[in-house]
Amino acid sequence: MSARVAAIDCGTNSIRLLIADLPEASDGDSAPLVDVSRRMEIVRLGQGVDQTGMLAPEAIERTRVALADYAAEIEKSGAERVRMCATSASRDASNAADFRAMVERTLGVPPEVVTGDEEARLSFTGAVRGLPADAEPPYLVVDIGGGSTEFVVGTREDGVRGAISVDIGCVRMTERHLHGDPPGPAQIAAAEAEIAAAVDRALAAVPGREAATLVGLAGSVTTVVALAEGLQGYDPSRIHHARVSYEQVAEVTADLLGKSSEQRLAYPVMHPGRADVIGAGALVLRVIMERAGMPSVVASEHDILDGIAWSLAATSG
């Protein structure tokens, strides 16, 4: 019997669960995870953390409610091992101990507040397994989160060549710059300037401009791709490994930044918890493509969550 594992990714904006069966060793290196359950809840754990340096009590409580539901499903599934990784918001908060205590009470295991480097490597592992044949290596994998964006360059065969995390997530950029609804030109220009400076630092730290394929992860990317593809509902099977051009991304970004949160909600692919920050997320993606000289991006529904599950392969059994 293959091992069943549970992975939880708790970021600045969302908390996600993957329960999956690991492949047997005899299945070969290219064998995929077998999904049992994938879930996502928008809890906005990082609400206000950029200004206050603390996790808001109501944000911790929203996360607790979602996590209790996940814990019940994990127990029912019979998963043998559980790993929860907490990312940018938990790294930044002065009251992280309160969050950690809540997780241990609710889930039974402590959260691992992973470094930006480890976060990047987990994202890369999850993203590059199963990429289509026309996705030429080396890969630049970008994971646009709520508080930070990870840049990772590497290949399947040789692994990660370089990785860095920079603080230009969609929630952080919205709270810092995009105060209007919709934001005004000066606000967008200020956000774009900060994003461009951070992206240039990241691309200098890792050989990002040497990559042949840009792979984009997380909800900002997949939502932009769904909009570019004109989907009438959020369909992961059509988004996963879809390739869209820079021109399409630029068009979607301009459209989103020109609309209010209420107008964005009219799109059938828009998650209600993402409508207020998707403009910033799209802007991060567009600027990355510009600064890296990438003519297109390949979306992946597999990301750090899958990487966390794969990390349990060596310790399960």
Side-chain angles (χ1 to χ4, degrees):
M1 292 287 292
S2 60
R4 179 162 292 181
V5 299
I8 296 174
D9 169 40
C10 185
T12 303
N13 198 42
S14 65
I15 184 167
R16 300 181 299 148
L17 168 69
L18 169 61
I19 301 173
D21 291 332
L22 296 168
E24 300 281 3
S26 59
D27 294 334
D29 291 341
S30 61
L33 294 169
V34 178
D35 287 13
V36 176
S37 177
R38 277 185 194 262
R39 296 181 56 189
M40 186 270 286
E41 300 290 337
I42 300 285
V43 294
R44 197 63 60 86
L45 178 62
Q47 170 195 333
V49 76
D50 196 43
Q51 287 78 32
T52 66
M54 296 181 63
L55 297 171
E58 62 269 27
I60 294 177
E61 174 60 15
R62 288 194 299 268
T63 306
R64 185 199 65 77
V65 171
L67 191 59
D69 194 23
Y70 288 177
E73 183 167 350
I74 290 167
E75 183 176 8
K76 185 178 179 180
S77 77
E80 298 171 24
R81 292 187 65 84
V82 181
R83 185 182 185 192
M84 175 174 170
C85 291
T87 54
S88 180
S90 300
R91 285 200 302 267
D92 298 340
S94 62
N95 61 337
D98 295 341
F99 172 74
R100 180 184 180 89
M102 178 278 289
V103 171
E104 290 203 63
R105 287 194 307 270
T106 307
L107 189 64
V109 300
E112 298 177 47
V113 182
V114 296
T115 64
D117 184 69
E118 174 67 2
E119 187 176 346
R121 291 171 189 275
L122 288 168
S123 294
F124 186 83
T125 299
V128 303
R129 282 182 178 256
L131 279 174
D134 66 350
E136 183 183 347
Y139 311 113
L140 169 59
V141 175
V142 295
D143 187 341
I144 302 173
S148 63
T149 295
E150 283 63 58
F151 293 72
V152 201
V153 174
T155 65
R156 273 191 291 260
E157 293 73 24
D158 300 329
V160 172
R161 295 181 185 175
I164 189 173
S165 178
V166 293
D167 288 342
I168 52 168
C170 61
V171 174
R172 194 185 299 270
M173 290 298 96
T174 300
E175 291 185 350
R176 193 172 286 179
H177 298 292
L178 304 182
H179 304 135
D181 190 25
Q187 294 174 8
I188 295 170
E192 184 169 351
E194 180 172 354
I195 294 166
V199 169
D200 285 346
R201 287 197 306 274
L203 294 175
V206 300
R209 292 187 176 91
E210 298 174 16
T213 301
L214 176 66
V215 182
L217 314 182
S220 288
V221 174
T222 57
T223 302
V224 168
V225 168
L227 290 168
E229 295 282 88
L231 300 186
Q232 293 307 301
Y234 193 94
D235 184 349
S237 67
R238 292 186 62 186
I239 296 166
H240 188 49
H241 293 165
R243 184 189 290 268
V244 300
S245 68
Y246 167 78
E247 289 77 16
Q248 289 174 289
V249 171
E251 182 179 351
V252 169
T253 301
D255 177 71
L256 290 170
L257 288 170
K259 283 183 164 59
S260 68
S261 296
E262 184 176 355
Q263 289 171 321
R264 295 168 188 165
L265 280 172
Y267 287 115
V269 301
M270 189 66 63
H271 190 288
R274 201 175 300 284
D276 60 333
V277 297
I278 186 61
L283 185 61
V284 171
L285 176 60
R286 195 204 79 199
V287 173
I288 289 171
M289 295 179 77
E290 287 174 0
R291 309 304 283 192
M294 288 291 181
S296 63
V297 59
V298 176
S300 177
E301 288 278 350
H302 294 175
D303 52 26
I304 188 173
L305 194 58
D306 300 75
I308 295 167
W310 282 114
S311 75
L312 293 169
T315 53
S316 62

